[in-house]
Amino acid sequence: MLERDDSTPTTIALRRLAAGFLAGIALPAAAAGLPAPETTPLLYISGAIAHPNVGEEAHFDRSLFDDLPRQTLDTATVVTDGVSHFEGVLMRDLLDAVGAEGDKAVATALNDYIIDIPMQDFHEYDVLLADTMDGETLTAQDKGPLWIVYPRDDHTELQDIRYDYRWVWQLERLEIR
Ligand SMILES: Nc1nc2c(c(=O)[nH]1)N[C@H]1C(S)=C(S)[C@@H](COP(=O)(O)O)O[C@H]1N2
Ligand SMILES: [Mo]
């Protein structure tokens, strides 16, 4: 069987050129940190963070949030029926992106609900900051735009009122302390 070989000296040189070009633009971008938001932020992160993008805080609009690694989670919740399919960003990845270093995240919601969450939760468990549920974008009328979702079906110890308090819906701000 005839196989096509793309690796001519020309294509190899072009690939190297492209890789070099991409590395060249990626490096200054990484050094400059998180880009500034261009639309209204969904989420504000303050406190002990190494990579702010607006003053001393990190603000995420939808486009910046969408740029983070995406993850899914299927779980029951205490406020919905059956198992739901969530998509979003791992809290661990979000906090890594802003260089968060602290013992707790103080989470505040649009309805002024406020709760302390130990940072340990995000290292021990794949806690998701969900922006969609069952394929629908979460809105402020329905637990959104961002909802902290614990993998409660995968860990019996998470099926506890102590964790239910930390399932912050309508999340607006995380303050790292
Ligand atoms: N934004 C927000 N998130 C919240 C709450 C709240 O009042 N506001 N209540 C917490 C509590 S006490 C529990 S037990 C769970 C489920 O609350 P619910 O049954 O009132 O939805 O969500 C948590 N997340
Ligand atoms: Mo509660």
Side-chain angles (χ1 to χ4, degrees):
M1 193 168 127
L2 244 176
E3 278 183 15
R4 218 180 121 217
D5 182 11
D6 276 340
S7 301
T8 64
T10 313
T11 54
I12 290 170
L14 281 173
R15 266 185 233 137
R16 288 214 181 116
L17 197 68
F21 177 71
L22 287 176
I25 55 169
L27 278 177
L34 201 63
E38 288 178 4
T39 59
T40 312
L42 297 175
L43 176 68
Y44 301 81
I45 306 181
S46 56
I49 61 170
H51 313 305
N53 64 351
V54 177
E56 297 189 337
E57 301 192 347
H59 297 182
F60 285 83
D61 60 11
R62 185 149 326 255
S63 145
L64 286 175
F65 191 76
D66 285 345
D67 285 344
L68 295 165
R70 303 284 297 175
Q71 180 91 11
T72 65
L73 172 60
D74 293 294
T75 187
T77 86
V78 288
V79 297
T80 54
D81 292 327
V83 171
S84 298
H85 176 74
F86 293 95
E87 291 182 24
V89 169
L90 286 180
M91 285 293 286
R92 186 168 55 241
D93 290 340
L94 170 71
L95 294 170
D96 280 352
V98 300
E101 292 278 358
D103 295 331
K104 65 178 181 179
V106 184
T108 315
L110 294 172
N111 66 343
D112 293 333
Y113 180 77
I114 183 164
I115 185 100
D116 284 3
I117 304 179
M119 292 287 264
Q120 196 185 332
D121 281 13
F122 310 132
H123 296 289
E124 241 163 80
Y125 305 106
D126 290 340
V127 181
L128 194 72
L129 185 54
D131 61 0
T132 83
M133 177 176 152
D134 296 329
E136 305 275 346
T137 300
L138 290 165
T139 65
Q141 288 73 48
D142 185 27
K143 309 287 188 200
L146 298 172
W147 188 5
I148 298 177
V149 175
Y150 278 75
R152 100 191 293 278
D153 289 1
D154 298 334
H155 305 272
T156 46
E157 69 271 26
L158 295 182
Q159 295 160 27
D160 185 280
I161 187 78
R162 273 184 308 145
Y163 290 97
D164 293 343
Y165 295 141
R166 302 176 191 169
W167 284 60
V168 181
W169 32 272
Q170 294 184 331
L171 179 71
E172 185 180 35
R173 176 174 289 274
L174 293 168
E175 192 196 329
I176 311 304
R177 288 191 194 155

